[in-house]
């Protein structure tokens, strides 16, 4: 059984219904645990652990007749989230709810409640014999700090031109005489405008791209409202750093499901979005049984085999050393290239080849 959820935005609550079928038949012995299938949310893998007859012994034990419920982070990396559990009956009424008002850090240990709900109340709320627990997760609302996309290079480039003797004089006029300044003003103030048609790009995203090119910093709202359009505009006109930043936001705000995974893969391949493609591959590996059953990869790019192998090997690799370069995260590859002053855009294969050429 697979578990899916809809991720609208990382700053919003993500609601994942988790079902335990045949709950009454699971028994009521203390410390008898039942695990849900793993599911993905906020870039991590999770599972719910229930103790139908309660958990523990001695001091840390649940009260008699209580069901214990815990949430475990199955990914290697830690994450801080707000979380809650809720049970609704067949009519949609909430009959049990536990939540943490403050963010909790999930590392290798699970978190939850020993005395989550009375077993009798849980049984009364079963839906066709299944216990349905709504897992609600919310991450800290912040920008995509974990994805590497580089800085806006405009200010550094302008300072370089300004300090250069030749370009400083000709472009900025800091040593120009009066006649040269008048001539420059005349050219800039001449009547008549040359109209250059711009096609194939959304107007507001083009405006935002120009704002970025001239040193502006786009806001969280800009990316939330049109990350895909900004990505496509930046890709069309070669504004690499903006493209990669928009890609990072697009990855964070996009729902990945079996239904749309092939479309996202083809889109990532056509736009050379290595980070998006990496996330798609991670999803395919994590949900391989369902993906193999429902998806035909006849139209998939030829590199899919190596991408899937890299995604499969990644969790077993520390990503250090040239011999493991093929399993490094895209953000790691981009950081290596950035440190060498090289282009950080392109497919995973392009990034690896560029690093090897300049080793």
């Amino acid at each position: 059984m697979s578990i899916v959820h809809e991720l609208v935005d990382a700053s919003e609550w993500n609601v994942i219904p988790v079902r335990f079928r045949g709950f009454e038949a699971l028994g009521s012995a203390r410390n008898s645990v039942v695990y849900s299938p793993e599911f993905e949310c906020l870039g991590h893998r999770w599972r719910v652990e229930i103790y139908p007859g309660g958990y523990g012994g001695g001091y840390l034990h649940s009260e008699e007749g209580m069901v214990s419920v815990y949430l475990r982070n199955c990914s290697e990396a830690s994450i801080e989230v707000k979380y809650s559990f809720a049970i609704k009956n067949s009519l949609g009424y909430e009959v049990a709810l536990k939540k943490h008002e403050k963010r909790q850090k999930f590392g290798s240990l699970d978190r939850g409640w020993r005395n989550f709900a009375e077993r009798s109340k849980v049984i009364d709320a079963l839906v066709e014999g299944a216990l349905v627990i709504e897992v609600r997760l919310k991450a800290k609302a912040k920008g995509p700090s974990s994805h590497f996309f580089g800085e806006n290079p405009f200010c550094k480039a302008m300072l370089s031109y300004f300090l250069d003797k030749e370009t400083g004089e000709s472009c900025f006029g800091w040593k120009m005489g009066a006649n040269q300044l008048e001539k420059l003003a005349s050219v800039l103030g001449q009547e008549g405008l040359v109209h250059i048609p711009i096609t194939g790009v959304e107007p507001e995203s083009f405006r935002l791209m120009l704002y970025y090119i001239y040193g502006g910093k786009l806001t969280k709202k800009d990316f939330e409202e049109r990350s895909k359009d900004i990505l496509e505009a930046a890709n069309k006109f070669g504004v690499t750093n903006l493209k990669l930043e928009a890609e990072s936001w697009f990855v964070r705000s996009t729902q990945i499901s079996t239904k749309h995974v092939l479309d996202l893969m083809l889109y990532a391949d056509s736009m050379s979005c290595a980070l998006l493609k990496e996330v798609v591959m991670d999803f395919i590996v994590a949900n391989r049984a369902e993906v193999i059953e429902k998806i035909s990869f006849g139209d998939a790019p030829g590199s899919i085999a190596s991408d899937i192998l890299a995604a499969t090997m990644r969790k077993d690799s520390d990503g250090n050393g040239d011999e493991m370069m093929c399993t490094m995260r895209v953000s790691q590859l981009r950081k290596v290239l950035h440190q060498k002053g090289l282009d950080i855009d392109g497919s995973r294969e392009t990034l690896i080849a560029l690093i090897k050429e300049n080793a």
Side-chain angles (χ1 to χ4, degrees):
M1 176 179 67
S2 62
I3 299 174
V4 298
H5 75 289
E6 182 172 354
L7 171 57
V8 178
D9 185 276
S11 64
E12 301 300 324
W13 284 101
N14 297 265
V15 180
I16 307 97
V18 179
R19 290 173 172 79
F20 292 89
R21 304 189 186 280
F23 176 79
E24 286 190 85
L26 298 178
S28 58
R30 184 176 290 275
N31 289 328
S32 176
V33 62
V34 180
Y35 303 114
S36 77
E38 290 186 6
F39 57 91
E40 289 206 17
C41 185
L42 301 174
H44 285 246
R45 291 177 292 106
W46 307 84
R47 77 179 181 202
V48 176
E49 304 171 355
I50 65 168
Y51 293 80
Y55 169 79
Y59 177 72
L60 296 174
H61 69 278
S62 59
E63 297 174 4
E64 194 66 32
M66 300 296 288
V67 175
S68 305
V69 181
Y70 297 90
L71 180 65
R72 179 177 290 274
N73 169 27
C74 300
S75 298
E76 293 181 5
S78 299
I79 184 174
E80 290 189 9
V81 296
K82 289 183 179 180
Y83 75 103
S84 65
F85 298 137
I87 295 178
K88 293 181 179 179
N89 61 21
S90 58
L91 298 177
Y93 294 111
E94 202 169 80
V95 299
L97 172 66
K98 293 281 190 181
K99 62 181 179 179
H100 274 290
E101 297 295 341
K102 295 183 178 180
R103 291 184 180 85
Q104 304 293 311
K105 184 174 182 179
F106 279 83
S108 58
L109 300 178
D110 51 22
R111 291 182 176 273
W113 289 271
R114 294 192 300 275
N115 299 304
F116 174 68
E118 296 177 12
R119 179 176 170 83
S120 59
K121 185 182 292 187
V122 170
I123 290 175
D124 289 341
L126 298 181
V127 180
E128 297 180 351
L131 167 60
V132 182
I133 299 177
E134 280 192 358
V135 180
R136 301 168 184 175
L137 295 169
K138 183 178 183 180
K140 183 178 180 181
K142 60 181 181 178
S145 59
S146 62
H147 297 154
F148 183 78
F149 40 77
E151 300 175 346
N152 187 342
F154 177 80
C155 293
K156 184 177 179 180
M158 288 298 100
L159 284 175
S160 176
Y161 280 121
F162 185 84
L163 295 173
D164 182 86
K165 186 177 186 300
E166 293 184 5
T167 56
E169 289 185 20
S170 61
C171 296
F172 294 92
W174 51 273
K175 280 192 176 180
M176 283 184 177
N179 292 336
Q180 289 174 300
L181 287 172
E182 290 173 5
K183 182 178 180 182
L184 180 62
S186 174
V187 171
L188 294 176
Q190 63 185 347
E191 294 184 3
L193 296 175
V194 177
H195 294 278
I196 303 174
I198 303 295
T199 61
V201 61
E202 194 263 332
E204 178 61 15
S205 298
F206 183 76
R207 186 192 70 79
L208 290 172
M209 182 188 69
L210 290 180
Y211 175 70
Y212 177 91
I213 289 173
Y214 285 103
K217 183 174 179 61
L218 273 58
T219 66
K220 179 175 181 285
K221 182 180 179 182
D222 293 331
F223 285 114
E224 287 178 337
E225 292 181 350
R226 43 175 45 88
S227 60
K228 186 170 183 284
D229 290 332
I230 294 172
L231 187 161
E232 293 176 358
N235 183 68
K236 182 180 181 70
F237 294 99
V239 188
T240 298
N241 296 84
L242 178 60
K243 172 192 171 181
L244 301 187
E245 187 172 0
E247 178 192 17
S248 178
W249 281 95
F250 182 64
V251 164
R252 286 169 57 88
S253 63
T254 298
Q255 173 192 354
I256 300 180
S257 65
T258 305
K259 181 179 179 181
H260 303 295
V261 69
L262 184 57
D263 291 336
L264 282 172
M265 183 200 304
L266 294 174
Y267 179 78
D269 193 66
S270 67
M271 300 290 291
S272 293
C273 289
L275 177 63
L276 175 59
K277 194 172 183 182
E278 177 179 84
V279 173
V280 170
M281 291 302 132
D282 288 343
F283 175 88
I284 290 174
V285 171
N287 300 272
R288 51 190 175 275
E290 183 179 1
V291 171
I292 290 173
E293 180 183 356
K294 296 183 179 181
I295 301 297
S296 171
F297 289 96
D299 296 328
S303 62
I304 184 173
S306 60
D307 288 325
I308 290 178
L309 283 174
T312 304
M313 294 171 60
R314 208 148 30 226
K315 63 181 179 181
D316 300 322
S317 168
D318 60 8
N320 294 321
D322 288 345
E323 70 278 8
M324 298 307 297
M325 194 180 297
C326 63
T327 64
M328 288 172 65
R329 288 281 178 186
V330 166
S331 286
Q332 291 176 290
L333 296 172
R334 287 173 175 172
K335 285 181 180 178
V336 172
L337 289 168
H338 181 71
Q339 290 168 357
K340 293 176 177 288
L342 300 171
D343 187 11
I344 60 175
D345 191 18
S347 66
R348 169 184 289 278
E349 293 78 11
T350 299
L351 300 180
I352 291 174
L354 195 55
I355 291 175
K356 290 181 177 180
E357 287 175 9
N358 292 271

